[in-house]
Amino acid sequence: MSRTGCGSWSLNLPSTALKSNHPSVNILKSNTLYSPDRLVSGSYLRPSPRFCGQIKAPATAAAMEAEQSGGTATNSISNPPMKLLFVEMGVGYDQHGQDVTAAAMRACRDAISSNSIPAFRRGSIPGVSFEQMKLLIKLGVPHSLQQLLDIERVKSVFPYGKILDVEVVDGGLICSSGVHVEEMGDKNDDCYIVNAAVYVGY
């Protein structure tokens, strides 16, 4: 028997052994690693390469985007110019009329409508006033629709807070609503879907 660099052993039976009543067959079928003290003998034991090597931490989304584009990760939302408190997320749809801005506005309303932020008004954060609330908005919008997006209409969704930036990235979805309703302004049966992330801080 030989041992792997990770200190584990694996059982690998040839096809002929699978037809026998060898007690190790069940171990093979369970696809489990065993330490040497769990097996008295095993002519079919051989080291397994599984789980060997250094485990790398997953890359951030910004880093992966940068790697694909050949650049470096300099996303302002990944490194916000504010003290970040929390993130609100939402999704918006425009099923009829093909208005991507309407979908984006609904995504932002969805993100903020189920949250209350009393801390800014009540002085719960020492030295921070209500006027110091800051927002960063990130929208996932289908690439072909991004030029049609009205950023100022999207900003109007937020009743307070200084909006530092609205970032638009490829995302969302164009799918069929299943029906073309001309009286509702439809040009076709497309449904637009937009995702939103709202970063709140000071």
Side-chain angles (χ1 to χ4, degrees):
M1 293 187 293
S2 59
R3 192 171 184 176
T4 71
C6 299
S8 299
W9 302 76
S10 70
L11 186 64
N12 193 331
L13 296 180
S15 58
T16 54
L18 291 174
K19 299 178 182 179
S20 69
N21 293 323
H22 194 286
S24 298
V25 170
N26 289 332
I27 298 175
L28 175 64
K29 290 180 179 179
S30 69
N31 195 29
T32 305
L33 286 177
Y34 283 80
S35 58
D37 61 343
R38 296 289 298 274
L39 295 171
V40 177
S41 63
S43 58
Y44 300 114
L45 282 173
R46 75 177 184 182
S48 170
R50 291 180 299 162
F51 313 126
C52 293
Q54 184 178 3
I55 299 175
K56 296 182 178 180
T60 64
M64 289 188 290
E65 290 175 4
E67 183 178 353
Q68 292 173 358
S69 62
T72 57
T74 58
N75 192 323
S76 62
I77 287 182
S78 297
N79 299 286
M82 63 181 184
K83 292 184 179 179
L84 183 64
L85 294 178
F86 56 92
V87 183
E88 304 164 307
M89 289 160 282
V91 59
Y93 311 84
D94 189 57
Q95 297 185 42
H96 300 289
Q98 291 75 53
D99 185 346
V100 68
T101 300
M105 294 172 71
R106 289 167 185 154
C108 291
R109 288 194 189 100
D110 183 50
I112 67 174
S113 61
S114 60
N115 298 282
S116 177
I117 313 175
F120 283 98
R121 286 190 180 274
R122 295 185 177 180
S124 301
I125 307 173
V128 177
S129 65
F130 175 71
E131 291 75 19
Q132 291 174 273
M133 178 189 291
K134 297 177 182 178
L135 305 174
L136 285 169
I137 318 301
K138 186 169 186 176
L139 301 173
V141 180
H143 184 78
S144 62
L145 303 176
Q146 292 178 9
Q147 295 300 319
L148 303 176
L149 188 65
D150 187 336
I151 297 296
E152 293 306 313
R153 282 177 60 198
V154 174
K155 288 182 177 180
S156 70
V157 169
F158 301 92
Y160 43 80
K162 180 181 179 180
I163 299 176
L164 300 180
D165 187 29
V166 178
E167 180 184 6
V168 180
V169 299
D170 291 349
L173 184 67
I174 301 175
C175 63
S176 172
S177 67
V179 61
H180 180 177
V181 185
E182 291 184 3
E183 54 267 36
M184 295 186 69
D186 277 348
K187 308 176 203 56
N188 48 53
D189 66 352
D190 284 350
C191 170
Y192 295 165
I193 304 175
V194 173
N195 301 106
V198 180
Y199 298 79
V200 182
Y202 62 92

